[in-house]
Amino acid sequence: MKQKSLETFPWRPKPLESLGAAVVSAAGGRTGGGGLKGKLLIDIGSGPTIYQLLSACETFEVIVASDYTDKNRQELEKWLKKEPGAFDWSPVVKYVCELEGNRDRWAEKEERLRKAVRQVLKCDILKERPLEPAVLPPANCLISSLCLEAACPTLGACRDALRHIKTLLRPRGHLVLSGTFGSSFYMVGDKWFPTLPLEEKFLLEALQEISFTIEKLEKAPRAAETLLDNRSDYTRMFFLVARRGD
């Protein structure tokens, strides 16, 4: 599995806002709690980022973040513990609060998230038990953003990874995925990383084969102003909500 860096999200508004808005909508942030909720949410492949958790902390009591790399987990811990040199997420927190209709309460949002995130665990979705040696109760919801395409070397490995993370989810629980279609690489600074080019047909079939029901799929073509950006070659972004059926 490869590292997601803060540089992977270099404040290109369209991608960040698209994913952020989608997660807010799923968590019920725009509708006063009409979205997903429950006791435990696990974020698979968190990277060093928190934006994907900002609405979840309003509707889930306990959040567990996870990532493959030590550096990403250390970066998350720095922010959670308010350590010197931690990344300043306040502009993103304010933006999400604006989507939720509470822009002036961004500082409260940050503290609520810090309180909700109870653990930051090592995760490897290519393993049968992605979070071992940690043992957690089955989650009400799993979320994962930009992880499958970065971590899986082949489509077969991606099918296996979906099966692996399914074991972390309770029956009838929700899986929320967001990422890109058609991406074969991304850049972090001057470093080039290959990615698995996912396509819609494959992803939907892989989920349905392991008894997930697709409840929502949103797609957005790459914004015209990003076409000259050579840090990635993705063609579309996607946001998906599925429910485990067994």
Side-chain angles (χ1 to χ4, degrees), residues 131-150:
L131 299 179
E132 67 176 357
V135 178
L136 298 176
N140 301 91
C141 182
L142 300 180
I143 67 172
S144 187
S145 177
L146 298 165
C147 179
L148 289 173
E149 55 267 54

Side-chain angles (χ1 to χ4, degrees), residues 187-206:
M187 301 284 293
V188 178
D190 61 354
K191 298 186 183 299
W192 182 92
F193 297 93
T195 59
L196 181 66
L198 293 178
E199 296 299 341
E200 178 182 344
K201 182 175 184 292
F202 164 80
L203 184 60
L204 298 186
E205 289 180 352

Side-chain angles (χ1 to χ4, degrees), residues 5 47 59-60 65 69 71 90 108 113 115 130 152 174 177 183 187 209 218 224:
S5 162
T59 55
F60 289 89
T69 71
K71 288 185 177 180
S90 60
E108 295 176 34
L113 179 56
K115 182 178 180 181
C152 300
H174 282 90
L177 296 176
S183 175
M187 301 284 293
E209 285 172 3
E218 295 183 0

